[in-house]
Amino acid sequence: DVKVTQSSRYLVKRTGEKVFLECVQDMDHENMFWYRQDPGLGLRLIYFSYDVKMKEKGDIPEGYSVSREKKERFSLILESASTNQTSMYLCASSLIRLGQDGYTFGSGTRLTVV
Amino acid sequence: KQEVTQIPAALSVPEGENLVLNCSFTDSAIYNLQWFRQDPGKGLTSLLLIQSSQREQTSGRLNASLDKSSGRSTLYIAASQPGDSATYLCAVKRSGANNLFFGTGTRLTVIP
């Protein structure tokens, strides 16, 4: 069964810390995405990557960066965590191939910044 | 910008009922539409993917339809069960774009 794995289900970090959220997929997907989900705001795209070392800003990239050194791994970095970054973070991946380009999501990381 | 709306925001039905969830989108130039299910505190599980050239997709008790010209999709759930209780999200991929635009979801409760 295809999988997107997020390394942590729950994280608690202090304000100002540098935080790494890791995502790994085993499906050889070209595209990978990071979303955050907040009540009343739905899912918002932070960054996505369509190839190794390639990245594109989404709707809310401020305060975040990403890294994709290998095809299967996409990391989200909070350079200096703030309380307004407390949220559910969701990683997803997809193929480019027509007809097989549905998204597969990980189980999410609930991050609390105190 | 593509806007995706799901109405109602919440729905309660007795077990066994057939039900329809609605999704509308403002830009009909879509590439595909995907329905997801999300359980509380969990990630999203893909239910059905409909390409722009298709009119419907079926999986078990689920049937999703797509009417691009009117900017609408429906998710039909037959013979609902308590285990169907979850939030259902639709998401649209615009032509020429890589990312999805999500609705805010319909929270479904199936009462035993």
Side-chain angles (χ1 to χ4, degrees):
Chain A
D1 201 11
V2 296
K3 251 188 186 173
V4 175
T5 302
Q6 295 183 231
S7 54
S8 304
R9 287 298 308 277
Y10 301 96
L11 273 180
V12 180
K13 296 293 182 180
R14 294 195 180 278
T15 301
E17 274 192 76
K18 190 169 186 176
V19 181
F20 293 85
L21 302 184
E22 305 287 346
C23 176
V24 177
Q25 50 97 3
D26 64 0
M27 299 166 284
D28 203 34
H29 284 180
E30 294 89 355
N31 295 327
M32 295 189 76
F33 307 84
W34 275 106
Y35 286 86
R36 65 177 281 178
Q37 185 178 31
D38 301 286
L41 296 176
L43 277 89
R44 294 178 292 168
L45 181 66
I46 305 171
Y47 267 98
F48 69 96
S49 169
Y50 52 89
D51 201 352
V52 174
K53 297 191 186 295
M54 306 302 289
K55 62 184 178 185
E56 293 275 349
K57 292 180 180 179
D59 298 320
I60 51 164
E62 296 78 18
Y64 303 94
S65 62
V66 290
S67 172
R68 193 166 181 201
E69 296 296 318
K70 294 184 178 181
K71 189 175 186 180
E72 67 270 19
R73 185 180 297 270
F74 192 36
S75 302
L76 180 69
I77 304 155
L78 286 65
E79 298 292 341
S80 177
S82 64
T83 54
N84 63 13
Q85 292 178 310
T86 291
S87 186
M88 169 71 104
Y89 289 86
L90 293 162
C91 175
S93 70
S94 74
L95 280 170
I96 293 177
R97 199 173 310 138
L98 178 65
Q100 300 178 41
D101 48 354
Y103 278 36
T104 302
F105 276 84
S107 54
T109 295
R110 171 73 65 183
L111 173 67
T112 302
V113 182
V114 297
Chain B
K1 184 182 173 180
Q2 179 73 268
E3 290 185 10
V4 182
T5 305
Q6 291 185 248
I7 294 173
L11 180 65
S12 274
V13 300
E15 181 177 1
E17 223 175 75
N18 303 324
L19 60 102
V20 174
L21 306 180
N22 296 296
C23 172
S24 60
F25 45 93
T26 54
D27 186 349
S28 61
I30 66 167
Y31 191 69
N32 61 37
L33 183 145
Q34 197 166 357
W35 281 95
F36 296 90
R37 165 193 174 127
Q38 186 176 30
D39 294 290
K42 302 282 180 67
L44 278 65
T45 300
S46 178
L47 298 173
L48 290 163
L49 171 67
I50 312 177
Q51 301 296 332
S52 62
S53 57
Q54 299 173 321
R55 292 196 61 86
E56 65 179 317
Q57 284 283 348
T58 297
S59 176
R61 294 183 294 109
L62 305 180
N63 176 277
S65 68
L66 175 63
D67 184 342
K68 258 182 42 173
S69 60
S70 67
R72 288 182 184 175
S73 177
T74 61
L75 179 67
Y76 174 82
I77 303 177
S80 58
Q81 303 170 357
D84 294 331
S85 297
T87 296
Y88 290 81
L89 295 151
C90 72
V92 169
K93 187 174 182 180
R94 202 159 39 94
S95 297
N98 267 322
N99 57 307
L100 292 180
F101 291 89
F102 282 85
T104 48
T106 294
R107 188 170 71 248
L108 172 67
T109 303
V110 180
I111 303 163

